[in-house]
Amino acid sequence: MKVIKKNEDEQEDLELPLFDFYTVTIATDNFSKDKKLGEGGFGPVYKGTLPDGQDIAVKRLSHSSTQGMIEFKNEVIFCSKFQHRNLVKVLGCCIEGQEKLLIYEYMPNKSLDFFLFDSSQSKLLDWSRRFNIISGIARRLLYLHQDSRFRVIHRDLKASNVLLDDNMNPKNSDFGLARMCGGDQIEGSTSRVVGTYGYMAPEYAIDGIFSIKSDVYSFGILLLEILSGKKNKGLSYSSHSCNLVGHAWMLWKDGTPMELIDTFLEDSCVLSETLRCIHIGLLCVQHQPDDRPTMAFVLIMLNSENALPQPKEPIFFIEKVSIKEKSTSDSKTSSSANEVTVSIMEPR
């Protein structure tokens, strides 16, 4: 089996099966538009079929991508170390000239955002499916934080990075921005803030401090999105200028939290579970990292009926401003999606 070996300018072995570019080109009908599944900050993703009939998903690094060789190598390293049934399986990679490709197992139900933010698809996610997805994401994040060989901070948890299998079970994907921590280390810092606006914890977006608790913050945002069927970023309400977190808090404070819930859930939701999930979501997006639960405690809260601590008012609400998109080389902060709206944190 071919594997990528250490090159002179690499610091680690990148040991994954190596696909040749011709094989991938044939599998994707020369990267046909009809085969395109979607696109993110890394580049477009295509469906392909190998000669043996196996379906694959191919992520192709775009030449205009804000991400590059650093993130590509990072994901290859992570995927070679963390092949777990609850994470999307990486079958191999391809590096030929300017072409850099990652080959994954094909997930027939695409990503969570495909269903969640599309009114024609969202109705297919009843409460039992959404609760199963919430619990599944929490378990997979706990594996990364606590149960894997190395502690992993994902740094880019979002709806488009949660893929769904045949039975709508979630699998975490995209480790291009992830960081491994040794020993008891639970946090780190960087001068290069990367990720997706709207999911970033305040301490990471502003000071570059990332931790397992910044992942918990991202999980809280995702949880509120799953409950509401609305995006945190780019959302506004006629009654107040704030994002989904601010809206959820105002409804909680007014004693009407169920107004947050997606209308498609009216006939299927379990009231006690739904209210509990809103409560947990608000605990996860607390401003101070120490006030947020660990993922281990999140799972306990999801599966018990014990009383929960009261959330504090979120200090940072997010307002939208439009700016010209900057490249990573021009700015300290880069987004993992090709978006022109950025989120500016302002204290209340």
Side-chain angles (χ1 to χ4, degrees):
M1 177 183 295
K2 292 183 179 180
V3 297
I4 298 178
K5 293 297 186 181
K6 183 185 289 186
N7 294 327
E8 291 181 359
D9 62 340
E10 292 175 346
Q11 298 301 313
E12 299 196 44
D13 290 321
L14 308 182
E15 297 186 356
L16 279 178
L18 181 61
F19 286 70
D20 65 86
F21 185 67
Y22 177 77
T23 298
V24 180
T25 301
I26 296 299
T28 59
D29 292 341
N30 198 23
F31 302 100
S32 165
K33 289 183 179 179
D34 294 336
K35 295 288 187 177
K36 189 173 180 180
L37 298 173
E39 186 162 359
F42 186 99
V45 181
Y46 300 88
K47 181 183 179 182
T49 304
L50 296 176
D52 63 2
Q54 180 180 7
D55 288 331
I56 57 174
V58 179
K59 186 191 292 188
R60 186 184 193 187
L61 179 65
S62 170
H63 295 161
S64 61
S65 172
T66 58
Q67 299 179 32
M69 197 60 189
I70 294 174
E71 287 81 9
F72 180 83
K73 289 180 181 179
N74 196 56
E75 182 146 8
V76 171
I77 291 169
F78 270 85
C79 293
S80 64
K81 294 180 181 294
F82 295 95
Q83 294 288 20
H84 188 274
R85 64 185 180 88
N86 290 330
L87 305 177
V88 175
K89 185 177 181 181
V90 178
L91 305 176
C93 58
C94 172
I95 301 177
E96 287 192 19
Q98 296 299 311
E99 293 290 348
K100 300 174 184 66
L101 312 169
L102 286 168
I103 294 86
Y104 297 85
E105 64 175 322
Y106 175 68
M107 301 291 282
N109 283 316
K110 302 182 180 180
S111 56
L112 178 58
D113 64 329
F114 173 78
F115 289 91
L116 202 55
F117 306 131
D118 185 321
S119 59
S120 64
Q121 301 293 333
S122 184
K123 58 188 177 184
L124 300 176
L125 295 179
D126 61 13
W127 175 246
S128 63
R129 279 181 171 165
R130 294 197 199 200
F131 188 75
N132 179 65
I133 289 170
I134 291 167
S135 299
I137 296 169
R139 286 193 299 271
R140 285 135 185 80
L141 202 52
L142 176 61
Y143 166 75
L144 295 175
H145 287 180
Q146 179 176 301
D147 298 333
S148 63
R149 287 190 300 153
F150 303 92
R151 191 187 306 275
V152 178
I153 299 171
H154 191 282
R155 294 205 303 169
D156 201 21
L157 181 66
K158 57 183 177 180
S160 60
N161 283 343
V162 175
L163 303 187
L164 303 172
D165 68 10
D166 290 327
N167 298 313
M168 301 295 283
N169 293 313
K171 290 192 176 186
N172 293 14
S173 71
D174 202 331
F175 291 88
L177 306 182
R179 287 289 188 91
M180 277 187 292
C181 299
D184 296 328
Q185 182 185 3
I186 60 172
E187 69 174 39
S189 62
T190 180
S191 60
R192 182 172 178 262
V193 176
V194 290
T196 303
Y197 293 112
Y199 292 91
M200 287 184 185
E203 71 277 6
Y204 179 53
I206 297 172
D207 298 319
I209 299 173
F210 59 88
S211 68
I212 59 173
K213 292 299 187 71
S214 56
D215 272 357
V216 171
Y217 184 95
S218 301
F219 172 80
I221 297 293
L222 183 54
L223 174 51
L224 294 175
E225 289 185 336
I226 293 171
L227 295 172
S228 65
K230 301 290 193 302
K231 294 182 180 181
N232 183 47
K233 181 178 180 295
L235 191 66
S236 61
Y237 297 88
S238 57
S239 58
H240 46 264
S241 177
C242 61
N243 63 348
L244 181 61
V245 174
H247 182 60
W249 171 257
M250 289 185 176
L251 293 176
W252 178 268
K253 184 176 63 174
D254 293 342
T256 58
M258 288 300 293
E259 291 185 16
L260 180 73
I261 301 305
D262 193 332
T263 55
F264 291 122
L265 297 177
E266 291 178 353
D267 297 329
S268 64
C269 73
V270 178
L271 182 61
S272 60
E273 288 182 343
T274 308
L275 288 172
R276 195 170 188 82
C277 284
I278 297 173
H279 196 154
I280 293 169
L282 289 172
L283 289 173
C284 289
V285 297
Q286 295 292 280
H287 173 61
Q288 295 295 338
D290 287 345
D291 290 334
R292 301 171 204 153
T294 62
M295 290 311 303
F297 192 45
V298 166
L299 277 167
I300 291 173
M301 292 190 292
L302 283 171
N303 295 289
S304 73
E305 297 181 358
N306 296 332
L308 304 181
Q310 287 302 307
K312 300 174 183 177
E313 180 176 2
I315 293 178
F316 285 84
F317 288 169
I318 302 177
E319 298 179 355
K320 304 188 298 298
V321 296
S322 295
I323 65 169
K324 292 182 180 179
E325 185 180 14
K326 295 182 178 181
S327 67
T328 304
S329 61
D330 294 334
S331 174
K332 173 183 174 182
T333 305
S334 64
S335 170
S336 68
N338 295 323
E339 299 171 319
V340 296
T341 302
V342 301
S343 302
I344 301 299
M345 302 288 186
E346 296 289 351
R348 287 174 56 86

